[in-house]
Amino acid sequence: SVSYEKNLNLNEKYDLYIMPSSIVCHETEIEIIQTLIKNHKNVIVVGPFATTYPEPYLKAGAKVIKGEPEMFFHKFDKDVEYIKKLPNIIDNLPLIDLDKLSIPDWKIIFKNYIPKMKFIGKGPVININASRGCPYSCFYYCVYPLQQGRKLRLKSPKKVVEEMVYFYDKLKVRNYIFRDPVFSLDRKHTKLLCDEIIKSKKKFNIAVETHLKNIDDELADIFLKSGIKLIYVGIESADESVRESAKRWSDNNDAQLKKINYLEKIGIKIKAMYIIGFP
């Protein structure tokens, strides 16, 4: 067995350890939780995997937040005794208006780790959201609606750009990855956001994830002007019958390829994502 005690700062008097969950590393996560619990630490696990499969985390001694953890920790001012008395599964959390969520304190994260993404530019990169939730039929296999729900919730374009400018001025961050399930799901909101980014006159480098059926030449040109350098698109499978069986409603292959060719022609890189092993 691997000993994690040296790397967990167990001598520090932290009130709570918050652990993101994953499929690929959940065995390691369980071992770490067991080490923390053995040393009388409080652990809460978050994320889509623990939301779906909380049992091993609960058995290891942790508590699990189902859904979006920000909805629980927003303006959190509780003490250790409150944490200890929480139910093992914390769910049915009220949804907070995205505009009212606090700006993440990336300055603290940057002290220990500076995330980067060379595909969009040099220097640090920050994750950001303009929306949450997704009503698309591919919730059949996608984890986004599992954690965020199927109702689309929008953050005001002005608020999003204020956050980007804040980190640009405070931490010199020019690179942003939008973690919206589908960046251009609401076309009107997307255009307003791009307009706000352009009006800021900041030279941002941006990556987004979206659906090709929501992009046309007009929107592609707006994307380019606003600083979008990279777009993730889910192709899932080149076999249209396979996509249909997985409830993935997409443009046909020729239409998808035409849009990708145009995006690459104007200077936007495409990262195409596939799921290997669909029936």
Side-chain angles (χ1 to χ4, degrees):
S1 64
V2 179
S3 174
Y4 299 98
E5 297 191 13
K6 291 182 180 178
N7 298 319
L8 290 175
N9 295 327
L10 294 173
N11 293 326
E12 297 285 347
K13 294 183 179 180
Y14 296 130
D15 295 326
L16 177 65
Y17 287 74
I18 304 170
M19 177 180 289
S21 58
S22 68
I23 295 174
V24 293
C25 291
H26 77 273
E27 295 96 340
T28 303
E29 293 156 11
I30 297 302
E31 291 179 19
I32 292 172
I33 290 168
Q34 290 170 338
T35 300
L36 291 168
I37 297 297
K38 185 178 71 176
N39 285 273
H40 311 291
K41 305 296 184 181
N42 300 296
V43 185
I44 289 181
V45 184
V46 302
F49 185 64
T51 293
T52 307
Y53 187 47
E55 289 80 8
Y57 298 102
L58 299 175
K59 188 176 179 181
K63 299 179 186 295
V64 171
I65 293 178
K66 287 192 172 187
E68 297 169 278
E70 298 96 325
M71 304 303 154
F72 176 76
F73 288 110
H74 180 65
K75 296 186 177 178
F76 190 79
D77 61 355
K78 308 300 182 183
D79 58 18
V80 179
E81 291 307 312
Y82 175 87
I83 294 169
K84 289 179 179 178
K85 293 176 183 176
L86 286 168
N88 289 335
I89 293 180
I90 304 157
D91 58 1
N92 298 318
L93 298 169
L95 293 179
I96 296 167
D97 185 334
L98 297 184
D99 284 353
K100 294 180 180 177
L101 287 177
S102 305
I103 292 180
D105 196 346
W106 282 94
K107 186 177 180 180
I108 291 176
I109 297 171
F110 279 19
K111 288 180 181 178
N112 297 295
Y113 168 70
I114 298 180
K116 296 182 179 180
M117 208 237 217
K118 293 181 180 178
F119 288 115
I120 56 174
K122 295 179 179 178
V125 63
I126 279 178
N127 293 332
I128 197 167
N129 284 91
S131 67
R132 293 192 187 186
C134 180
Y136 281 170
S137 59
C138 36
F139 77 96
Y140 180 68
Y141 60 82
C142 179
V143 299
Y144 277 124
L146 185 67
Q147 185 175 33
Q148 300 179 8
R150 298 192 65 198
K151 182 180 179 181
L152 178 64
R153 291 170 286 143
L154 301 172
K155 195 170 185 177
S156 71
K158 187 175 181 180
K159 194 80 173 177
V160 176
V161 176
E162 281 177 1
E163 191 170 321
M164 295 171 72
V165 171
Y166 175 84
F167 290 121
Y168 185 99
D169 292 339
K170 298 291 183 182
L171 297 175
K172 310 301 180 188
V173 177
R174 298 180 59 212
N175 307 316
Y176 294 86
I177 302 175
F178 277 84
R179 298 302 306 168
D180 303 44
V182 184
F183 179 75
S184 55
L185 205 156
D186 185 308
R187 185 182 180 91
K188 180 180 178 182
H189 179 264
T190 302
K191 290 177 73 174
L192 288 171
L193 173 58
C194 289
D195 287 343
E196 282 291 330
I197 293 171
I198 294 166
K199 283 194 294 184
S200 76
K201 297 184 179 179
K202 302 288 187 184
K203 296 294 182 181
F204 295 122
N205 300 315
I206 299 168
V208 303
E209 182 176 339
T210 191
H211 201 302
L212 279 170
K213 70 180 182 182
N214 293 338
I215 301 177
D216 55 22
D217 291 358
E218 180 197 12
L219 197 57
D221 292 340
I222 294 170
F223 280 0
L224 183 67
K225 290 177 184 176
S226 64
I228 292 175
K229 301 287 195 297
L230 173 66
I231 297 177
Y232 291 69
V233 294
I235 304 298
E236 318 304 24
S237 172
D239 188 309
E240 294 182 16
S241 66
V242 169
R243 294 202 299 267
E244 186 176 341
S245 71
K247 303 180 183 177
R248 173 71 176 195
W249 310 119
S250 305
D251 289 336
N252 63 47
N253 288 349
D254 289 341
Q256 291 191 90
L257 191 57
K258 183 179 179 181
K259 290 182 179 183
I260 289 171
N261 286 339
Y262 182 77
L263 288 161
E264 291 184 330
K265 179 183 175 182
I266 65 174
I268 297 177
K269 297 175 185 175
I270 298 296
K271 179 177 180 180
M273 300 180 288
Y274 294 81
I275 295 179
I276 307 302
F278 262 148

